[in-house]
Amino acid sequence: MKTIFVKEQDAVRNWYIIDAAGKPLGRVAAKAAMVLRGKNKPTFAKNQEMGDYVVIINADKVIVTGNKTTDKIYYHHSGYVGGMKKFTFEKKLERHPDEPLMLAIKGMLPNGPLGRKLLGNVKIYAGTENPHSAQNPQPLEV
């Protein structure tokens, strides 16, 4: 019996939409990362881009449990001496509402060229409007 490998260009790629309003940050990110990698398909291969496209709306309404709104800290370094900046989850959500979700998904994907390629397949929007209605995305429950 031979193992069947599907080539990346022959893979069927679907579009999914996730409404993140009122849902926990980690659960939305975990579901999106699973679909991006293609782990929900029988043709999953860990070294190929076989996953689907994911559109996440209402990223500004994502929730975190406990005191994480004030205690969770994101760090950024400019590369210069004394260039460390830190932001709380609350401030990060105010300035860039899509970034906490993008960073959570990035941490759940593999490091390296494949992970960067997969991260390009997720589209995150703060509101309900998105330009991907032509792709007819199916709703995905979290």
Side-chain angles (χ1 to χ4, degrees):
M1 187 157 217
K2 288 188 168 186
T3 304
I4 299 170
F5 288 105
V6 178
K7 295 179 183 164
E8 287 185 24
Q9 61 266 24
D10 296 339
V12 177
R13 313 281 298 276
N14 298 323
W15 284 76
Y16 292 102
I17 190 163
I18 298 175
D19 188 7
K23 305 231 171 66
L25 172 76
R27 295 203 185 177
V28 172
K31 188 68 166 183
M34 184 191 73
V35 172
L36 285 170
R37 291 254 358 233
K39 287 192 165 191
N40 58 339
K41 295 181 173 185
T43 58
F44 170 71
K46 67 178 185 175
N47 61 335
Q48 291 180 328
E49 182 190 8
M50 305 295 279
D52 299 318
Y53 294 95
V54 177
V55 178
I56 300 174
I57 57 173
N58 291 324
D60 55 343
K61 296 180 180 87
V62 73
I63 60 168
V64 289
T65 58
N67 294 330
K68 289 189 199 111
T69 52
T70 55
D71 294 349
K72 185 168 179 61
I73 303 213
Y74 294 94
Y75 295 97
H76 175 74
H77 198 280
S78 67
Y80 291 99
V81 176
M84 178 73 79
K85 304 230 188 262
K86 57 184 179 180
F87 302 98
T88 62
F89 176 80
E90 195 173 38
K91 291 285 183 190
K92 192 66 116 167
L93 207 58
E94 279 178 22
R95 297 180 114 192
H96 305 286
D98 59 332
E99 207 163 314
L101 203 50
M102 181 67 84
L103 290 172
I105 294 170
K106 181 182 177 186
M108 295 179 187
L109 292 175
N111 297 325
L114 179 63
R116 290 189 293 273
K117 195 173 180 184
L118 291 172
L119 199 59
N121 294 341
V122 65
K123 317 294 185 205
I124 302 175
Y125 300 100
T128 56
E129 294 86 29
N130 63 56
H132 304 288
S133 59
Q135 283 79 21
N136 195 16
Q138 276 87 36
L140 191 64
E141 276 303 312
V142 178

